Amino acid sequence: MIDNATPHFVVQNLTKHFPLRGQSRDGRVVHAVDDVTLTIESATTLAIVGESGCGKSTLARCMVGLTQPTSGAILLDGVDLTAPGMFQQHRRAIQFVSQDPLSALNRRRTVGAALIQAMEVHGLGDDLTARRNRAEDLLEQVGLRRDYMVRRPSDLSGGEMQRAVIARALAVEPSVLVLDEPTSSLDVSVKATIANLLLELQATLGLTYVMITHEIDLARHMSDRIAVMYLGQLAEDAPTIEMFGETKALHPYSQLLFAAQPLPDPRQRRFVGIGGEVPSAITPPSGCRFHTRCPIAVENCRMELPVTQTFTTSHQVACHRAAERIDVTLRPGSTATLVFEPGLRDTSLET
């Protein structure tokens, strides 16, 4: 049972640097994730958003033990999973849902076999009959018929494959799901059904979600909190209702990121330019890493790393000028240069 006094899932000062291939002797590294701290309460959803290459997928892989962090801690109900052998002991508790369901399933095996194997590996179920019955129940729980047990991934649509991957993750009875772009490979018409399925499962099973996405509408629809990353660091972390409510996003990058999202009516879209290019993660800028593209940067931004400030109860911003509450989207500018994954422009969740 979860101790309500202890945050369920905590990322504490997590850092991940990748040595350059063939050049590791000179000490240069890729600063994929730098000193990120996040807290996710039980049965809530944290969405981590940002441009491509900001470090959110590396952070996700560290969370599930697929990548060993350089430093920092990952705590599950107070237990540090980065300690030797701890990820193996708690493997069941944290499951990963890939953005590419086809690559996550063995094409030669049936969906039922994949679910049964997951239970066998973790010693769940009394026998094969019990595991088969539970696998059939899981398929129904994610909206698939029981006869999908004998189907192979090649027989499924994109939405059906994603449902099967979710069912396989649930087969080992986790408490945390790390969702890496859970709807990015799906048609617009299917995105909403998968998002709503995840919300239903969370309400039924009390699951905790960490969702990696570049789709701001999806994050707004599903999450309780949103964390914005830029060049490996956390720019802003706040309740979703504050990010899009009266308080609004306070970091200039968050504001520009949200303003650059496509709207159903292109006449309503405001493109606010930030100019320049994303700096190198090998030699990130001094001070605030966003200062090279920030429209309100001052000398202090270039020289000093901003200290994370807390606004309202739990709205955290790493910006020297956050207290001024400047809305940079109201400033004139050129075309935005935000970088997103190609081919994924419609983020509507209308049903």
Side-chain angles (χ1 to χ4, degrees), residues 58-208:
T58 299
L59 179 59
R61 292 179 64 83
C62 289
M63 287 180 175
V64 297
L66 293 176
T67 297
Q68 180 68 30
T70 303
S71 62
I74 299 170
L75 307 176
L76 179 66
D77 296 332
V79 177
D80 186 1
L81 301 182
T82 60
M86 295 309 294
F87 258 118
Q88 287 72 18
Q89 291 185 33
H90 295 269
R91 179 66 65 189
R92 272 181 54 197
I94 306 175
Q95 290 295 301
F96 185 64
V97 177
S98 170
Q99 63 179 303
D100 182 5
L102 187 58
S103 68
L105 295 170
N106 188 330
R107 303 186 189 193
R108 297 183 179 181
R109 307 196 70 181
T110 64
V111 171
L115 270 61
I116 291 170
Q117 182 188 41
M119 287 182 264
E120 288 176 341
V121 167
H122 292 278
L124 297 175
D126 296 330
D127 52 33
L128 179 59
T129 300
R131 292 179 185 124
R132 183 179 298 278
N133 290 337
R134 172 160 166 72
E136 291 176 347
D137 291 341
L138 282 168
L139 290 179
E140 288 191 337
Q141 195 168 24
V142 299
L144 297 175
R145 298 190 307 272
R146 289 176 177 250
D147 61 18
Y148 276 70
M149 287 282 291
V150 296
R151 298 196 184 189
R152 287 180 167 78
S154 58
D155 301 324
L156 309 182
S157 67
E160 290 170 340
M161 279 191 290
Q162 192 63 289
R163 290 173 187 269
V165 170
I166 293 169
R168 188 181 65 176
L170 296 179
V172 299
E173 302 174 357
S175 61
V176 178
L177 287 188
V178 177
L179 309 162
D180 188 10
E181 302 281 2
T183 64
S184 66
S185 63
L186 305 177
D187 293 337
V188 174
S189 59
V190 185
K191 289 179 185 287
T193 60
I194 296 298
N196 290 330
L197 169 64
L198 289 167
L199 290 173
E200 290 171 9
L201 291 170
Q202 184 176 52
T204 303
L205 303 175
L207 296 167
T208 302

Side-chain angles (χ1 to χ4, degrees), residues 212-251:
I212 310 300
T213 185
H214 67 278
E215 298 174 285
I216 304 303
D217 282 352
L218 180 67
R220 184 174 182 176
H221 177 64
M222 287 190 61
S223 69
D224 299 284
R225 295 186 66 86
I226 293 180
V228 181
M229 287 188 68
Y230 181 78
L231 205 61
Q233 293 184 333
L234 203 61
E236 190 163 5
D237 176 18
T240 305
I241 194 170
E242 290 190 18
M243 284 283 205
F244 296 98
E246 196 171 315
T247 304
K248 296 184 179 179
L250 298 177
H251 197 287

Side-chain angles (χ1 to χ4, degrees), residues 304-344:
E304 295 184 19
L305 185 69
V307 176
T308 300
Q309 305 174 61
T310 300
F311 295 83
T312 69
T313 303
S314 57
H315 192 144
Q316 298 181 324
V317 189
C319 174
H320 290 295
R321 304 192 66 184
E324 300 176 51
R325 298 179 182 269
I326 300 172
D327 188 346
V328 300
T329 64
L330 299 179
R331 298 165 63 92
S334 57
T335 303
T337 55
L338 294 166
V339 180
F340 294 99
E341 284 79 354
L344 299 167

